[in-house]
Amino acid sequence: MNMKLKYLSLMLAPLLLWNCEGNKKMEGYTMIEEVKKQGDEIVIPYKKFELDNGLTVLVHEDNSDPVVHVDVTYHVGSAREEIGRSGFAHFFEHMMFQGSDHVADEEHFKTVTEAGGTLNGTTNRDRTNYFETLPANQLEIALWLEADRMGWLLDAVTQEKFEIQRATVKNERGQNYDNRPYGMLGEIANQALFPHGHPYSWPTIGYINELNEATLDDLKDFFLRWYGPNNATLTVAGDVSADQVMELAKKYFGPINRGPEVEDMPEMPAKLDADRYISHEDKIRFPLLQMNFPTVANRHKDEAALDILSDILGGGKTSIFYQEFVKSGKYLQASVSNPCSELAGNMSFTLVAFPGTNLKDTETQLRAAIDKFEERGVTDEDLQRYKASFEASTIQRLSSVRGKGSMLASFQTFTGNANYIKEDIARYMNVTKEDVLRVYNEYIKGKPAVIVSYVPEGQLNLIAAEDNYTPTIGRTDETVLNNYDSLSYQKPVDNFDRSVKPEPGPAPFVQVPEFWTVEMDNGIKGIGTETDEVPTVSIQITLPAGHRNETIAKAGISSLMAGMMNEGTKNFSAEQMSEELEKLGSRVSVSSGAENITVNISTLTKNLDKTLELAKEVILMPAFKEEDFARLKKQALEAIANRENQASQLASDAYARLSYGENHIKAVPSAGTKASVSAMTLEDVKAYYNRYFSPKGAKLVVVGNLSKDEILPKLDFLKEWTGEAYEWPKQPELAGAEPGKIYFMNKEGAAQSEIRIGYMNDLTYDPTGEYYKATIMNYQLGGNFNSRININLREDKGYTYGARSFFRAGKEPGGFLAYAGVKKEATDSSLYEFLYEINTYAESGITDEELAFVKKSLTQSEALDYETPFQKAGFLRRILDYNLEPGYVKTQSEILQNISAEEIHELAKKHLPTEKMIMVIVGDKKTVWEGINKLGFDVVEIDKDGAII
């Protein structure tokens, strides 16, 4: 369903308990409010406090897992920037991981990773947040780190760090904007939708020229203005107590000085007097038309009705746009969305056309489809479907402390009320059919829009209309910038030694999920666990088929079959199936992967019986209609043709072909080839289903708030499933390309180069054997943010947004792969540094300090492994897939604790033979050819199919 996920669910209103004497003042902070859970209602209980310096603190206690989530959200995003100074908020997201007075360079990531946690930061138009999820005994570490970069950052921000992160941001822009198909769509649409100077008229990541012009002092001024504690919310959710959190919050955050006062910005909706046409050429295959109508800001009284309108127009398979454009086969993709931010919003209509389509005709058809809404109207079923799906997706977000903490932080930041959930529920649940019709007339019908024609290079003849609007970008003579002279950095004063890193408490006891097993007479093996944190059930059925058991002549057939199984059954059309599932807030889908076909079923427990009736239809009675096959086949062929527009995909495909040899199925993309898919028939798909969609060898995983005795009778329909046993077809011996060479593919004009380095080995998946030990060995080479490869290429050199390496294996042998997208000017240098790090690690091994880090990180991260239903299902599935004993986790722990630096060194020497590796580069030949030819390797040019030219 194409709908925005809202941080709320259907629930009874929670009881808000205020202190009878008003806010309760304590030393250093004030208690503001407490929300408690009453009965079986679904609510996020919390306590809210405010430190004397203005920092808001929210604490949610959840003792179900030994995990804690810490979030610091600053009410500052790109909307707080100024004309000509774009990208500062996002730039600071990077800088705040670069160390502070008491945290050394690159130690923030290292400290959290060593503690067994995960972390990140994100920036959008309206806010920046930083977050960690860790074992609960590491709470103090997280608060120490977050407080240090809030209050003790600026003296540690050096020109060198500034330049490295500027290069990293440029690489990020290259990877996610310039080198990605349609990556510039949002940027150019917003330039036309919002007037010059509007905070949403520039991209969050910023413009390259403005990043180049920024100075270190500019960045420091931005921090001083917006990153004070009184413009932030600290949220702690998990296995903690409020008293514990507040003592630590007071200790670490209390001394930080209050920052300048910050006021909420007024809503600034876009206004258009007439249609604005703009166009853009890019290295794409499919012309795209997007029409954007100004709407409203987030939480405006009309937002909920607009969301439902966008779903009716372009949400699921019953929507107008799906029926008119996708089901009919006229267009490749069609969607409608209503993204709303704090200051403004817009409803966006997007059609992705087949090659050669004239977008003038597309615009006519798009407008006609919008007009059909008046004929169709709004039904009770429309509202029921939306609200049911809305309820289910929200409840599923409550399955993790991160999900609950994020909701609290968002509500507090944007409304000042962490308990805003009641109002949010009401505005969605109270939407009527009349409301939806009203907002259609007020914001869409006959209203001007921004129309973007996004076309392949050299095909401006396809645009909908000549450009009639040229945006003003950046600073002009009339631009007035803020004066930051009044701001000064006043370092906080402590009464303790902040340089002493806190010691964690005792490591928490991690309980591996208890589970039950079952084996059905038809061959299905099942495993499940009961969890009562949320009222949902997730069911996963996997079959050992997928791409691996295809032939090259029929490559892509499992993917097509899975797509066909999502297109209706003998008793339900695709639209009817979609409608019935949406009414329940449930999902049933089939997908195909490298070694499995998977059926995923998720539902609220109260709707399980009806959902399983529909799942039975999907599994046992697919319709396999000729018209659906023709449409999906056409889409598959276009997707295959489009792969050559994506440098990362070209590099991965070429590496596979060069590694396996052209006669091996794994050398061929799982989507198939033009030849294999073109030759495919519906009868082939039916034959594949009859042969391989069999219960023999199928694995069933169940996670939910029902016991074995409660759930198994509901799954009796699976006993009706029949089929024969089968094995994977035998594959030829590997016939990979000659190692020790660079295989280069030209992608003219590529903004970045894609690098792949690796080789095939004989390791199969073994969680307690050589494969597991190899993954331990690789962890410090390229398996985490602070690995040697990533620190070198990203943090020290600024060549990439991220570089990694890993060992991969399944039931069949895999191999080792190192990879990155790098700035094209540093292609040769990046390859050199990759090889330097791999060779050095193999020659010299790991240091004692690094090994201690690896052991701490991997040991303590186990606390995070079983929190959500998805994580529990993954654990159970591994047990079934590889016939593991439940105690394998304990064996892994013993291996990890006993492994020595000498053993790591021997593993590195054995499993990192660069002389056996092939090197693949996809990039702009004019830029990189000369440099890579100076590295001392034979350079072999290959074509887009991986064949040597």
Side-chain angles (χ1 to χ4, degrees), residues 271-319:
K271 297 178 181 179
L272 302 175
D273 297 325
D275 287 333
R276 292 179 179 175
Y277 289 89
I278 55 174
S279 61
H280 182 76
E281 295 179 85
D282 208 343
K283 298 181 187 304
I284 56 170
R285 175 176 175 80
F286 309 114
L288 174 149
L289 185 84
Q290 186 177 86
M291 187 176 294
N292 289 282
F293 293 87
T295 57
V296 298
N298 208 347
R299 299 178 181 87
H300 184 281
K301 64 180 180 63
D302 289 338
E303 182 195 16
L306 285 162
D307 285 344
I308 295 176
L309 172 63
S310 73
D311 186 66
I312 294 170
L313 285 164
K317 292 184 176 180
T318 59
S319 71

Side-chain angles (χ1 to χ4, degrees), residues 1-288:
M1 170 173 267
N2 182 13
M3 56 178 281
K4 301 188 308 176
L5 178 62
K6 301 296 170 185
Y7 296 160
L8 47 92
S9 66
L10 296 176
M11 61 186 75
L12 298 174
L15 177 64
L16 184 62
L17 300 177
W18 293 84
N19 184 278
C20 61
E21 298 177 356
N23 296 346
K24 186 176 180 182
K25 177 67 178 171
M26 304 176 188
E27 184 181 353
Y29 63 91
T30 303
M31 181 173 179
I32 306 298
E33 65 182 9
E34 180 178 6
V35 171
K36 291 185 176 181
K37 182 176 181 178
Q38 302 295 312
D40 294 331
E41 65 183 356
I42 300 173
V43 64
I44 308 173
Y46 68 89
K47 293 179 180 178
K48 177 179 175 180
F49 305 86
E50 184 177 301
L51 295 186
D52 290 352
N53 59 11
L55 177 69
T56 299
V57 184
L58 304 171
V59 184
H60 164 65
E61 300 180 26
D62 176 353
N63 308 121
S64 59
D65 294 285
V67 175
V68 63
H69 181 74
V70 175
D71 176 293
V72 178
T73 296
Y74 295 89
H75 197 173
V76 54
S78 58
R80 300 285 191 181
E81 295 162 356
E82 299 176 276
I83 304 169
R85 287 175 168 168
S86 64
F88 277 33
H90 175 259
F91 202 153
F92 240 104
E93 179 203 317
H94 284 252
M95 294 305 299
M96 287 181 75
F97 287 103
Q98 298 310 301
S100 45
D101 274 8
H102 309 102
V103 182
D105 297 359
E106 299 156 3
E107 283 294 311
H108 197 111
F109 268 97
K110 183 178 180 181
T111 300
V112 174
T113 306
E114 185 176 45
T118 61
L119 73 161
N120 212 333
T122 67
T123 308
N124 64 26
R125 291 166 162 178
D126 306 312
R127 64 99 185 101
T128 305
N129 69 340
Y130 302 88
F131 49 89
E132 300 89 10
T133 306
L134 310 96
N137 66 314
Q138 302 286 348
L139 169 65
E140 189 170 1
I141 290 285
L143 297 181
W144 173 69
L145 289 168
E146 290 294 349
D148 211 60
R149 62 181 172 188
M150 179 186 285
W152 287 265
L153 180 79
L154 289 190
D155 284 347
V157 177
T158 64
Q159 189 68 40
E160 180 182 7
K161 292 180 185 179
F162 176 80
E163 295 300 343
I164 289 173
Q165 291 310 309
R166 174 153 49 192
T168 301
V169 171
K170 290 180 184 179
N171 287 322
E172 182 179 356
R173 182 181 170 96
Q175 180 173 310
N176 294 334
Y177 289 72
D178 304 328
N179 211 35
R180 175 174 291 178
Y182 311 104
M184 296 294 294
L185 178 60
E187 181 173 316
I188 62 175
N190 289 330
Q191 288 169 353
L193 183 63
F194 298 104
H196 178 250
H198 190 288
Y200 292 170
S201 64
W202 55 79
T204 300
I205 200 166
Y207 296 119
I208 289 291
N209 65 306
E210 294 177 2
L211 290 170
N212 285 335
E213 294 169 1
T215 68
L216 183 57
D217 286 340
D218 289 337
L219 206 66
K220 288 184 176 182
D221 287 341
F222 189 79
F223 180 84
L224 288 171
R225 177 64 186 89
W226 301 111
Y227 290 81
N230 48 309
N231 195 35
T233 297
L234 165 65
T235 306
V236 179
D239 191 12
V240 297
S241 72
D243 290 344
Q244 171 195 19
V245 171
M246 290 313 300
E247 281 304 305
L248 294 173
K250 181 174 70 172
K251 174 181 179 180
Y252 289 111
F253 289 90
I256 301 173
N257 300 304
R258 189 180 187 94
E261 295 307 310
V262 177
E263 296 182 357
D264 289 344
M265 300 176 72
E267 292 184 7
M268 303 170 64
K271 297 178 181 179
L272 302 175
D273 297 325
D275 287 333
R276 292 179 179 175
Y277 289 89
I278 55 174
S279 61
H280 182 76
E281 295 179 85
D282 208 343
K283 298 181 187 304
I284 56 170
R285 175 176 175 80
F286 309 114
L288 174 149

Side-chain angles (χ1 to χ4, degrees), residues 515-679:
F515 58 86
W516 49 261
T517 60
V518 68
E519 187 165 352
M520 299 182 183
D521 292 341
N522 58 356
I524 299 174
K525 293 182 179 180
I527 189 169
T529 189
E530 183 177 358
T531 175
D532 60 1
E533 291 183 43
V534 288
T536 64
V537 176
S538 297
I539 298 170
Q540 188 180 82
I541 303 169
T542 58
L543 297 85
H547 182 53
R548 174 55 184 81
N549 69 355
E550 299 173 344
T551 64
I552 291 178
K554 301 294 183 186
I557 193 170
S558 61
S559 180
L560 260 178
M561 185 212 69
M564 290 291 291
M565 292 184 71
N566 294 317
E567 288 296 326
T569 69
K570 292 180 179 176
N571 297 312
F572 290 84
S573 68
E575 293 77 12
Q576 290 170 330
M577 178 64 69
S578 176
E579 183 169 11
E580 291 303 311
L581 288 169
E582 288 173 15
K583 285 179 183 177
L584 301 171
S586 303
R587 293 175 184 268
V588 179
S589 63
V590 185
S591 61
S592 175
E595 296 184 349
N596 287 291
I597 295 170
T598 304
V599 180
N600 280 303
I601 304 166
S602 63
T603 179
L604 298 178
T605 307
K606 66 182 182 181
N607 295 330
L608 177 61
D609 291 341
K610 292 181 180 179
T611 301
L612 291 179
E613 290 175 10
L614 298 171
K616 176 181 178 180
E617 290 268 340
V618 172
I619 295 169
L620 302 182
M621 292 172 276
F624 291 141
K625 294 180 180 177
E626 188 66 53
E627 57 268 29
D628 293 329
F629 175 74
R631 172 168 43 84
L632 293 184
K633 178 177 176 177
K634 182 180 180 182
Q635 292 174 352
L637 287 169
E638 291 295 347
I640 290 168
N642 191 45
R643 292 171 80 91
E644 62 188 73
N645 291 312
Q646 303 172 57
S648 61
Q649 198 66 67
L650 287 171
S652 296
D653 289 351
Y655 177 79
R657 185 181 178 93
L658 292 165
S659 297
Y660 286 98
E662 61 181 14
N663 293 322
H664 197 290
I665 189 61
K666 290 186 178 180
V668 180
S670 59
T673 64
K674 180 179 179 181
S676 66
V677 175
S678 295

Side-chain angles (χ1 to χ4, degrees), residues 396-409:
Q396 288 167 356
R397 285 290 302 273
L398 301 177
S399 64
S400 70
V401 291
R402 176 178 174 179
K404 290 181 283 189
S406 297
M407 293 182 200
L408 291 174

